[in-house]
Every structure is written in C-alpha cells, then in structure tokens.
Amino acid sequence: MTKKILAVYPGSFDPPTKGHLDIIIRASHLFPKIIIAVTKNINKKHIFSLQERIDLLQKITEKLKNVKISSFSGLLANYLENINSFVLIRGLRVLSDFEYEFQMALMNRKLNKKIETIFLMTDQSYTFLSSSMVKEIAMLGGNIKNFVPECVEKELKKRVANLSKSN
Ligand code: COA
C-alpha cells in the first residue's frame, strides 16, 4: 500500500549550502511532501537568526512546489509526532558523518519507534562542504560562489561585512 508520506528534513542550515539544496531537490523527487524543519542546534553558535535561515531556505526552494519550510524547538521526535510525520531525511557526506547520524537515527527511534531515518548520499561535489567552512571562507575574504546559492552568498557577505565593522 502506498501511503502519502510527509518527510521532514531537519537541520540548523546556518547557512543553507548547495549541498543542502542538492539533498532537498532529490528528496522532493522521492516524497510527495517535504518539510524543511529549521531549528537551533544548541551545540553551535549561529550567524543567522532562525527567521533569516527560514527566509533563505524559502528563497532557494521557491520553485519546489512540494517543499515547505517550518521551524521547531525542543526535541525533533516530539515535533514529528506533532505534525504526524515519521520519516526523517538526512544527508551523508563522508564516513565521519555516519557515526553521528547513526547515533541520532537510533536515538530518535528510541524516543519514538515509528521514526525512520532515510539517508541520501550527498552529491560527490559537495562531500567536503560544511556551513562552518563556508562561513570561515567568507570571513577570510575567500570566494564562496561554488558552495552556496546566490542569495545566500549575498546575505553572508553582508553579514560578514557588518561583523567585521562591529569588531
Ligand atoms: N552537503 C553539504 N554539507 C552538508 C550536507 C550536505 N548534504 N548535509 C549536512 N551538511 C553539513 C552542514 O553544512 C552542517 O555543517 P556545520 O556542522 O559546519 O554547521 C553539518 O553538515 C550538519 O548540519 P545540518 O544538516 O544543518 O544539521 P545539524 O547537525 O546542525 O542539526 C539536528 C542536527 C537539528 C537535526 C539535531 O541537532 C536535532 O535533531 N536537534 C533537535 C534536538 C533533538 O531532538 N536532539 C536529539 C537528537 S537525537
């Protein structure tokens, strides 16, 4: 039986990169509806506010009609229960992602046994990419064009310029 699956792609997306977008586009071909669930990762210091990250994701996914952006706080497992979704999408870049992702997938299933995590292999051109690295390159004046969508590049450059003025 084919059920209408609502899949959730959670993350901090600070900022969203071309690697994230690649996963979103491919997931949008696999599932009838995707919610990108933006949250604060308590272990990370974010450069963009939650609303700014939502706005950026909205811009880069505007052509994908089955993709919606939302946000949550607290436990991901509770958020999924609240919106009645039990499918999580995560990207896997390199072997070192696996341990963390494996732990998170098992923990989410422990919290709610209905939750299944589906992993998509990142496109090989983005295996080395991370949001922190993009931020660092931008702060050091490097070219980030190949790593983030155009609107993200523009906003990140603005943010970095403001930060260096205030320091
Ligand atoms: N291509 C390129 N880079 C990618 C990528 C891809 N396909 N997928 C992920 N990344 C990078 C991101 O850029 C990011 O880089 P950074 O560490 O430098 O910021 C990193 O990989 C992972 O970021 P992201 O996918 O945005 O997720 P996250 O690890 O920040 O967030 C949550 C993880 C939000 C899902 C997790 O913290 C969570 O569930 N929080 C809610 C609280 C909770 O329930 N905790 C218990 C969990 S068991």
Side-chain angles (χ1 to χ4, degrees):
M1 182 182 63
T2 322
K3 278 204 235 162
K4 286 228 159 186
I5 296 172
L6 169 62
V8 172
Y9 180 33
S12 51
F13 306 103
D14 185 49
T17 65
K18 286 188 177 176
H20 289 126
L21 187 56
D22 164 62
I23 296 290
I24 296 166
I25 292 170
R26 285 163 48 211
S28 77
H29 296 149
L30 293 174
F31 298 99
K33 192 170 174 195
I34 313 277
I35 291 187
I36 304 177
V38 192
T39 193
K40 183 178 165 48
N41 185 328
I42 51 170
N43 301 309
K44 294 180 184 174
K45 193 169 178 288
H46 298 309
I47 191 170
F48 288 108
S49 70
L50 185 72
Q51 190 56 51
E52 287 169 331
R53 285 176 275 141
I54 292 173
D55 293 344
L56 287 172
L57 281 160
Q58 225 129 32
K59 273 190 201 149
I60 67 176
T61 61
E62 66 189 354
K63 292 203 175 105
L64 303 170
K65 297 299 169 215
N66 60 337
V67 173
K68 297 277 168 283
I69 319 297
S70 188
S71 65
F72 72 99
S73 56
L75 276 182
L76 178 58
N78 291 348
Y79 171 72
L80 290 176
E81 182 84 54
N82 289 341
I83 62 165
N84 204 26
S85 164
F86 302 100
V87 175
L88 277 177
I89 297 161
R90 292 289 290 167
L92 271 186
R93 289 166 300 171
V94 284
L95 201 56
S96 53
D97 277 349
F98 180 77
E99 206 174 334
Y100 169 67
E101 293 295 340
F102 186 66
Q103 219 178 343
M104 208 157 62
L106 290 185
M107 183 55 85
N108 278 320
R109 199 136 54 102
K110 200 86 190 154
L111 293 168
N112 183 335
K113 67 176 184 326
K114 285 185 276 185
I115 295 176
E116 292 292 352
T117 305
I118 312 280
F119 294 103
L120 296 184
M121 298 289 184
T122 297
D123 186 286
Q124 61 178 14
S125 35
Y126 305 125
T127 47
F128 55 89
L129 189 56
S130 79
S131 301
S132 318
M133 233 181 245
V134 171
K135 283 182 276 191
E136 188 175 330
I137 295 168
M139 279 173 193
L140 298 172
N143 188 349
I144 52 168
K145 209 182 252 326
N146 291 331
F147 311 135
V148 288
E150 208 174 323
C151 63
V152 176
E153 182 192 1
K154 208 168 116 207
E155 289 309 313
L156 187 53
K157 280 185 177 164
K158 264 198 247 166
R159 181 55 44 93
V160 166
N162 287 341
L163 286 175
S164 51
K165 256 188 246 161
S166 62
N167 285 331

